[in-house]
Amino acid sequence: MTTKQRFESVLDWFAVNMPIAESELHYANPFQLLVAVVLSAQCTDKRVNMVTPALFAAYPTAEALSKASVQEVLEYIHSVSYPNAKAAHLVSMAQRLVAVYGGQVPDNIDDLQTLPGVGRKTANVVCAVIWNQPTMAVDTHIFRVSERIGLTTNSKNPLQTEKQLVKYIPQDLIPKAHHWLLLHGRYICQARKPKCESCGIQPYCRYNKTSAAS
């Protein structure tokens, strides 16, 4: 099976069996999504969704958050991973949003990455989810799953994975493909013990030694 054939087979399966694939983070606007994604770094979406309702109620806009102290924000997010650093990033990010972008979340990767606490992955998520742009955010799930399945080969870092994925995934499918791979890694192709027996893409998977791809 060629790489192109594997991509086509995997994407076709997801399109039929997971037609709706969306972020599991709760948000109501671009600003809230940006904050939630920053908080989600090395933290579960479930935990982030537990802290954001109160945080968003207290700071509904970039302007409001920009006036908060780091300690005040920390009180809302202390249960997430790396709360001190994230609290500082959120305040600084809001201040830059107000000062440079009029309180509005930028709609491109380059500008987003100028915000404190926002790396390429976060920028890609925001562009894909909010503006449906063909940006592929690579988190730990996607990095692992792509290599395990055989969509990528010898990828050493998230950027290499991103480049290999966007080479073969049609642009209009990239935003949804991000969620397909992420959710598959979160619930089926798990790190320690992948659930191969209940995996629909098993016939196309490089990892499964008994599959047609082996």
Side-chain angles (χ1 to χ4, degrees):
M1 175 177 286
T2 66
T3 299
K4 184 174 183 293
Q5 289 172 329
R6 179 173 282 115
F7 266 92
E8 291 175 346
S9 298
V10 169
L11 293 175
D12 286 347
W13 186 89
F14 279 127
V16 172
N17 294 277
M18 198 186 297
I20 299 176
E22 301 172 337
S23 174
E24 294 187 318
L25 292 170
H26 298 165
Y27 66 95
N29 54 54
F31 170 69
Q32 289 187 0
L33 177 66
L34 177 58
V35 170
V37 177
V38 170
L39 290 174
S40 72
Q42 295 181 286
C43 187
T44 65
D45 288 359
K46 182 179 179 180
R47 169 57 56 182
V48 173
N49 289 336
M50 291 174 66
V51 306
T52 49
L55 180 67
F56 294 155
Y59 309 110
T61 64
E63 287 82 359
L65 184 57
S66 71
K67 298 174 183 177
S69 70
V70 172
Q71 187 59 41
E72 287 172 334
V73 174
L74 183 60
E75 292 299 314
Y76 290 94
I77 68 167
H78 61 85
S79 65
V80 306
S81 59
Y82 307 105
N84 292 285
K86 289 178 180 178
H89 284 153
L90 289 179
V91 173
S92 297
M93 178 188 74
Q95 290 171 344
R96 182 169 176 81
L97 280 175
V98 173
V100 180
Y101 302 105
Q104 301 302 307
V105 176
D107 63 357
N108 65 86
I109 291 175
D110 291 339
D111 286 344
L112 281 165
Q113 288 186 96
T114 69
L115 300 173
V118 177
R120 185 175 182 87
K121 187 204 79 171
T122 297
N124 279 341
V125 170
V126 173
C127 286
V129 173
I130 297 298
W131 292 287
N132 200 39
Q133 295 178 8
T135 54
M136 173 58 71
V138 177
D139 68 354
T140 55
H141 291 301
I142 294 175
F143 183 79
R144 178 187 73 253
V145 168
S146 299
E147 190 72 17
R148 182 183 278 171
I149 293 172
L151 299 181
T152 61
T153 303
N154 298 322
S155 181
K156 299 295 190 285
N157 54 60
L159 184 57
Q160 288 184 7
T161 296
E162 177 186 334
K163 290 181 177 179
Q164 290 187 49
L165 291 175
V166 300
K167 179 180 178 181
Y168 288 98
I169 300 175
Q171 284 202 348
D172 63 313
L173 284 182
I174 289 174
K176 183 172 285 188
H178 159 75
H179 295 301
W180 282 338
L181 294 172
L182 186 156
L183 295 172
H184 189 69
R186 183 173 293 170
Y187 298 112
I188 301 296
C189 197
Q190 298 173 335
R192 294 183 179 179
K193 190 176 181 181
K195 301 176 181 178
C196 297
E197 68 283 354
S198 58
C199 177
I201 62 174
Q202 184 185 96
Y204 324 116
C205 179
R206 182 172 61 191
Y207 175 80
N208 185 358
K209 303 303 182 183
T210 61
S211 72
S214 62

